[in-house]
Amino acid sequence: QPQLTIWNLSSGESRVLVANPGPGASASVPTISPSGREVAYRWTETIDGKPVVSMRVIGVDPGAKARVLPGPAGATTFGPIAWSPDGRSLLVGGQGLLFLDWLSLADGSYRRVKSFETWQQPSNPSVSPDGLIAYAAVPRQGSEDRHIFVLDGAGQTEVAVVNSAGFSGGPVWSQDGAHLVFRSNRSGTWALWS
């Protein structure tokens, strides 16, 4: 079964944050806080023969204990995607990424940012240093194209920033938030674009 390990790229040292939980349980989809001091992750365990999902946050210091976070109402599959730039909220996606919510770590409340139709097949959300959310999705029902959209953190304004024919996906923000890097076959062969 998977365990959750943190690896220091500078020193090459690694340390287990969540030990091997045993059969029927796993820690997955970790995301590191902006401060680098905490990690949010999805926890799945089998209870009465059924998978039960929750989210947790654990500090990176030795001996830290995980804190269980509330799940979004009505969702059975969900997980953390990214931290807000200030580290006070988590972007959470669920039900096969049919919604994006901000979870306040202070009070456990959820705020819906965006709901999706199944045909949109959204994927790979990424949060910029100033709180913009980039993701890939099908632009219209029946289309075989996949575009890159940018949504403000409140979910009020959305712009298709890559809307050429072909498949574009996996948007990742530059460290300064000025650029998006993504993969695309829009030129006829796969390449990275910015």
Side-chain angles (χ1 to χ4, degrees), residues 15-31:
R15 186 175 72 256
V16 173
L17 291 180
V18 178
N20 186 328
S26 66
S28 61
V29 295
T31 180

Side-chain angles (χ1 to χ4, degrees), residues 28-110:
S28 61
V29 295
T31 180
I32 299 173
S33 69
S35 69
R37 305 303 312 153
E38 295 180 295
V39 176
Y41 61 96
R42 178 173 54 207
W43 176 258
T44 306
E45 59 189 321
T46 302
I47 299 176
D48 296 328
K50 296 180 182 175
V52 176
V53 175
S54 64
M55 286 184 304
R56 299 179 181 198
V57 170
I58 191 167
V60 298
D61 294 327
K65 301 291 182 201
R67 171 172 56 122
V68 179
L69 303 174
T76 56
T77 58
F78 53 89
I81 293 171
W83 293 75
S84 62
D86 63 8
R88 293 188 217 165
S89 299
L90 277 171
L91 186 64
V92 175
Q95 302 304 100
L97 202 56
L98 290 180
F99 65 82
L100 292 172
D101 286 354
W102 282 115
L103 165 62
S104 166
L105 296 174
D107 65 12
S109 64
Y110 276 86

